[in-house]
């Protein structure tokens, strides 16, 4: 299966659910579900998070790689709307998965507050083992929704990106979640002579922004952007 749409349909069939049933479990209408499976629309994080709760392998749908939790015996899927968690054999569906809080960078952009003070838009679950293999501590990872086109070519409007909050050193250079004058932004950070930083938008339509050493008090690195989750073009 090569596309998100195809893998989503495969997972629905594995769970032995109709399009109507899966749509209800994900909080969408049947027409939306059909569009997801046709590839006309991409499922959003709230939908995928809801389906993780009934045993859908979100990791597989997004990446094509099976989660370590899945495929270990026959799935026991609860009825849609049931109160008990889905299990895989004798294991809870969440065993081996790490919950990652997902925030909207536009909604969570106020006055330098920590992300923990902001409203979590949704929660996605990722295999702990795979996060660790990427050098990521699941406890330090958050998801951020990209807003705007300033990082086009690297990150598109509406993409999600996993941010490692434990990595706040601009060496080596990379793409970071920043707090600039109380506003959260995602930019490429480059160190320049004299201790200044250059904030770069990968979209060439946007000018580079020089942060002088004396202005560093107004800029804070919140974490390094590590993994993009977005539409396959």
């Amino acid at each position: 299966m090569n596309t998100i749409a195809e893998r989503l349909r495969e997972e629905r069939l594995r769970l032995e659910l109709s399009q109507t049933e899966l749509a209800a479990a994900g909080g969408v209408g049947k027409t939306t579900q059909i569009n997801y499976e046709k590839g006309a629309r991409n499922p959003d994080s709230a939908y995928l998070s809801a389906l993780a709760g009934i045993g859908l392998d979100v990791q597989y749908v997004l990446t094509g790689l099976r989660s370590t939790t899945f495929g270990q015996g026959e799935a026991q899927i609860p009825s849609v709307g049931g109160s008990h968690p889905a299990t895989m054999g004798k294991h809870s569906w969440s065993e081996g998965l790490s919950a990652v809080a997902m925030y909207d960078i536009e909604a969570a952009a106020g006055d330098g507050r920590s992300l923990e003070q902001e409203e979590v838009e949704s929660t996605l679950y990722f295999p702990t083992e795979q996060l660790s293999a990427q050098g990521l501590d699941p406890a330090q990872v958050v998801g951020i929704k990209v807003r705007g086109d300033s990082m086009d070519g690297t990150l598109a409007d509406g993409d999600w990106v996993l941010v490692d909050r434990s990595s706040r050193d601009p060496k080596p250079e990379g793409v970071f979640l920043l707090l600039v004058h109380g506003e959260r932004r995602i930019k490429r950070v480059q160190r320049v002579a004299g201790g200044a930083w250059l904030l770069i938008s990968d979209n060439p339509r946007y000018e580079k922004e020089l942060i002088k050493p004396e202005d560093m008090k107004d800029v804070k690195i919140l974490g390094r952007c590590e993994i993009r989750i977005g539409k396959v073009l």
Side-chain angles (χ1 to χ4, degrees):
M1 297 291 176
N2 295 322
T3 69
I4 289 176
E6 291 171 324
R7 293 191 294 268
L8 178 60
R9 180 177 183 276
E10 181 187 356
E11 279 295 280
R12 176 175 63 79
L13 295 176
R14 180 181 69 80
L15 298 178
E16 298 182 353
L17 295 175
S18 67
Q19 288 181 322
T20 299
E21 290 170 331
L22 196 66
V28 301
K30 182 179 179 181
T31 299
T32 299
Q33 181 65 40
I34 291 171
N35 285 332
Y36 286 164
E37 293 189 22
K38 287 168 56 180
R41 292 181 58 184
N42 267 346
D44 62 23
S45 60
Y47 167 87
L48 291 173
S49 179
L51 294 188
I54 64 162
L56 183 124
D57 189 345
V58 172
Q59 174 75 16
Y60 176 65
V61 171
L62 292 174
T63 69
L65 299 175
R66 282 286 178 193
S67 300
T68 55
T69 306
F70 292 86
Q72 301 173 0
E74 183 177 356
Q76 300 174 12
I77 305 301
S79 58
V80 173
S83 59
H84 57 290
T87 61
M88 302 302 296
K90 298 181 180 179
H91 303 285
S92 167
W93 72 270
S94 61
E95 184 178 338
L97 299 178
S98 292
V100 175
M102 313 297 282
Y103 299 90
D104 187 327
I105 193 174
E106 189 172 82
D111 301 327
R113 297 192 305 181
S114 68
L115 283 173
E116 287 79 6
Q117 294 175 281
E118 305 288 0
E119 182 177 351
V120 176
E121 180 171 308
S122 60
T123 302
L124 287 184
Y125 295 83
F126 295 85
T128 302
E129 184 176 305
Q130 292 188 17
L131 289 176
S132 298
Q134 297 290 327
L136 301 176
D137 175 0
Q140 294 296 325
V141 175
V142 295
I144 298 293
K145 181 183 283 184
V146 179
R147 292 294 191 173
D149 64 352
S150 68
M151 292 300 290
D152 270 3
T154 302
L155 299 168
D157 182 45
D159 280 353
W160 288 94
V161 60
L162 299 189
V163 176
D164 179 7
R165 293 183 297 173
S166 70
S167 181
R168 304 191 180 198
D169 187 346
K171 300 186 300 183
E173 296 166 358
V175 177
F176 292 87
L177 175 65
L178 303 164
L179 189 67
V180 184
H181 303 295
E183 179 183 357
R184 293 187 181 92
R185 304 183 193 173
I186 293 177
K187 298 293 179 186
R188 189 173 300 279
V189 178
Q190 185 178 77
R191 293 165 62 96
V192 295
W197 290 357
L198 203 57
L199 306 188
I200 301 170
S201 300
D202 287 356
N203 185 337
R205 291 178 47 236
Y206 290 82
E207 295 289 335
K208 298 176 182 178
E209 183 177 356
L210 181 67
I211 304 297
K212 299 177 181 178
E214 58 266 30
D215 297 326
M216 287 295 181
K217 63 183 183 300
D218 297 320
V219 181
K220 180 180 180 181
I221 291 180
L222 302 180
R224 179 184 291 271
C225 299
E226 295 286 357
I227 299 174
R228 170 184 171 269
I229 305 170
K231 184 177 180 179
V232 178
L233 300 177

